[in-house]
Amino acid sequence: MTTSLVRQVLSRPRPRTAAAGVHGTTAPGFASVRHYFERACQDAGPPGSQGAALSVVRDGEVVVDLWQGTADPVTGAPWTGDTLAPVLTGSHGVLATAVLLLADMGALALDRPVADYWPEFAMRGKGAVTLRDVLTFTARLPGMAADLGQRDVEDPHMMAALLELHSLEDDPRAGGVLHGPWTAGWIAAEVIRRVDGRDLDLFFLEEIAGPLGLDVHFGLVPDQLPHAARISYDADFRARFPALEGGPGDSGADLFGRVWNNPSPFPADAGVWSESRRRYAVVPSLGVYASARGLARLQGILAADAVRAPGEEPLLLSRRTLDQARNFWIEGLDPLLGGVSAYGEGGLQLLDEGLHPDVRSGAFGHQGPGGVSYQSWPQARTGAAWVRSRLTAAPGARVLDEVAGAVAGALRTV
């Protein structure tokens, strides 16, 4: 199991005591965002049962930095501006960014087969599967046939070995966009290890988080545990991920079980995600822990890089790589969960421009479970992130819609 206990970690401020209510600051022109943030937190439940944070970075400046509630209802630890929230299935956009950096370095190409970098992967008919297929959830590998438990998914090297023996999914519903919560991460992480020599967490720390000062991590180390939020679910959240009942030969139940219940990323006991063992582990597709500030800074950097003049030195990814990564590749309705997803060639989720096309045109990022969302808005050179500990059935994009309105207003006054 990868634990990253030997890696260096970013320096962290001492925890601060917080009182009830909304804390933080908003820049001139963004005061209205506090109201929307407060209302969204109220909808999620009492402050003692949950916490949340919202951050917006424009042109490298933090213009919204708000937090509220309790990071850990068990210990009573308050949420602060430095609280690390588990992003869970929203980790995919961060994972794709790591792969794109290696592509930018010339170490790999997204349209080449995975087996070019990991020869054993070609077994059982997988030789033509490309990295682009994996990052856009079109690889026909959404779930695992082997019976897995919660402890198994904490060992990415073992999962990679199991995937070598895996065949492509033969259910016809896997022919389009079929999001799998686990497998894309294990494949991408193994490719990174084979190409670079470092495990995903160390590569991301040394090449992205450390140089850019981002509080974004694949897995945690002991001194970060006091800063980590504890997730919980509201009454309706898990209803979307049922253990479908069905007898032998029921293909609907079989496919859903392989993808979403082998094992469930949202087990009945949400405490699994707060165990030290799980927090130390590197779980590539679900294991990002980040402050809202860290995610917003990352998305702001990508937004700025996406509109740089060709040839201009980027902060993280070249204009050429981001142009390709954001180029429309596929859009489809997930046959198991519903909802339409669109992805660019580099696995970045392409987002609807909503009511504010002057801000959100060309938006990308990723949605997470229960309302977590982070987005890059290149037109406005802005990154935004909304994270919370209590996962609900309500979409988080609603909060960022209001943020986009405030950004649009601020742009009109410039």
Side-chain angles (χ1 to χ4, degrees), residues 232-245 256 260-261 264-268 336-338 369-370 391-394:
S232 61
Y233 317 131
D234 75 0
D236 299 324
F237 174 71
R238 291 192 73 249
R240 195 181 182 194
F241 308 96
L244 295 186
E245 296 181 359
F256 195 101
W260 282 102
N261 287 308
S264 172
F266 310 113
L336 297 185
L337 295 181
L391 307 184
T392 73

Side-chain angles (χ1 to χ4, degrees), residues 29 31 76 82 84 88 102 134 180 205 209 221 224 274 276 315 358 409:
D82 309 303
L84 297 168
L88 301 182
L102 277 173
V134 172
L205 177 71
V221 293
Q224 294 172 316
S274 299
S276 295
L315 285 173
D358 49 339

